[in-house]
Amino acid sequence: MSRRHSFSARPLLAVAAAATVLAGTAAAAPAAGAPAPAPYTATSAALDDTYYQDAVGKTGEELKAALHTIISDQTRLSYGQVWDALKATDQDPANTSNVILLYTGRSQSKNDNGGGSGQWNREHVWAKSHGDFGTSTGPGTDIHHLRPEDVQVNSARGNKDFDSGGSAVGGAPGNFTDGDSFEPRDAVKGDVARMILYMAVRYEGNDSFADLEPNDQVNNGSAPKMGKLSVLKQWSQEDPPDTFEKRRNDVIFDQFQHNRNPFIDHPEWVDAIW
């Protein structure tokens, strides 16, 4: 690694405050006069009595297996349908005509999507080559880990594992990369971690796709592995779910796939499994 970038622990209130002042990021508070985003309605207590009832009280592999069964009950999207889904899941709370890009934090027109320079496209947070699932319906189209991102920044991330360190990514302040890893900006470090761990629970090798698992290394190449687990766990603790991430989970559940990312609803389950 050419550089180590330290991400220090922050109290929950400090995290929330920082998220609201980052220019162009998914701030919880909409701008004056802007339509309010859909409220975050799900509560852990209500979900524990219904959606998660077969997982509550379990730990380790038993918890992982229970969650796999629960979240595998989903509606699958085509890769084409992902475009419209992301326009809803990642809508800018301050401008309903825009989406928030994951790594850059930039607010950009929903309709400015495609493959051209400066446009946004579909970023696979669990790199699609890690398990060779491509854009197949299933892991390749699962919007729990697909996010809007600037075309050039998406290319800079490529299929690298996640770790701390590297040189600054052009056009994406707060992001760093080197030859074998990518470090996202602080405001979405936890989001990235929880997306990776969702994928590891959802895809266990019993539905014609590879068994996706996190490990504690980088340079995983085409193996169905994604690192770096110890760093991802740290990021999940230091950047807990915010309003944007919780709303996104609700929209996916209510409008599209009808399954949830359990680590957004119960961040403590990360340590309970890993």
Side-chain angles (χ1 to χ4, degrees):
M1 311 289 285
S2 61
R3 175 187 169 274
R4 286 289 158 188
H5 179 63
S6 174
F7 179 46
S8 59
R10 294 163 293 177
L12 302 189
L13 291 177
V15 173
T20 61
V21 299
L22 285 170
T25 64
Y40 170 56
T41 56
T43 65
S44 292
L47 291 167
D48 288 354
D49 290 339
T50 54
Y51 189 72
Y52 292 123
Q53 61 182 337
D54 293 333
V56 172
K58 297 176 180 177
T59 60
E61 287 299 319
E62 189 179 16
L63 173 59
K64 189 174 185 234
L67 291 175
H68 170 72
T69 299
I70 292 166
I71 67 177
S72 294
D73 183 8
Q74 71 180 98
T75 298
R76 296 187 178 191
L77 306 181
S78 71
Y79 199 45
Q81 289 174 316
V82 167
W83 285 120
D84 287 334
L86 295 184
K87 293 175 183 179
T89 59
D90 291 73
Q91 178 176 287
D92 183 348
N95 184 344
T96 58
S97 296
N98 288 8
V99 291
I100 296 291
L101 307 191
L102 176 64
Y103 301 133
T104 65
R106 187 170 75 238
S107 178
Q108 187 156 337
S109 171
K110 291 179 177 179
N111 297 322
D112 192 16
N113 60 301
S117 178
Q119 291 187 305
W120 66 267
N121 61 4
R122 297 158 291 188
E123 153 73 338
H124 290 78
V125 177
W126 185 293
K128 56 184 180 286
S129 63
H130 290 228
D132 195 29
F133 53 75
T135 58
S136 300
T137 300
T141 64
D142 194 318
I143 55 176
H144 275 295
H145 86 117
L146 281 159
R147 300 291 292 267
E149 188 46 62
D150 176 90
V151 169
Q152 281 72 36
V153 176
N154 193 343
S155 179
R157 188 268 161 133
N159 70 345
K160 296 174 183 175
D161 294 89
F162 293 100
D163 197 1
S164 299
S167 302
V169 176
N175 296 263
F176 301 88
T177 191
D178 58 18
D180 57 23
S181 69
F182 189 90
E183 177 184 352
R185 60 193 175 98
D186 287 357
V188 296
K189 279 182 163 69
D191 307 52
V192 166
R194 287 179 285 274
M195 285 185 278
I196 293 298
L197 299 178
Y198 161 87
M199 293 292 284
V201 171
R202 171 60 186 88
Y203 299 98
E204 293 278 50
N206 55 1
D207 53 2
S208 78
F209 296 106
D211 179 7
L212 307 183
E213 293 295 337
N215 64 6
D216 210 35
Q217 66 185 56
V218 293
N219 271 331
N220 279 300
S222 61
K225 308 291 183 183
M226 186 66 72
K228 192 171 182 182
L229 178 58
S230 59
V231 173
L232 293 170
K233 288 177 63 179
Q234 177 187 347
W235 290 352
S236 183
Q237 290 175 349
E238 294 173 343
D239 175 35
D242 60 14
T243 301
F244 187 90
E245 190 180 2
K246 291 174 181 178
R247 176 193 172 274
R248 189 176 197 277
N249 202 23
D250 277 354
V251 172
I252 293 172
F253 181 65
D254 293 338
Q255 299 181 29
F256 296 102
Q257 293 185 179
H258 311 299
N259 71 339
R260 303 186 68 83
N261 182 333
F263 304 112
I264 297 173
D265 297 320
H266 279 283
E268 74 278 7
W269 281 347
V270 172
D271 282 336
I273 296 175
W274 289 282

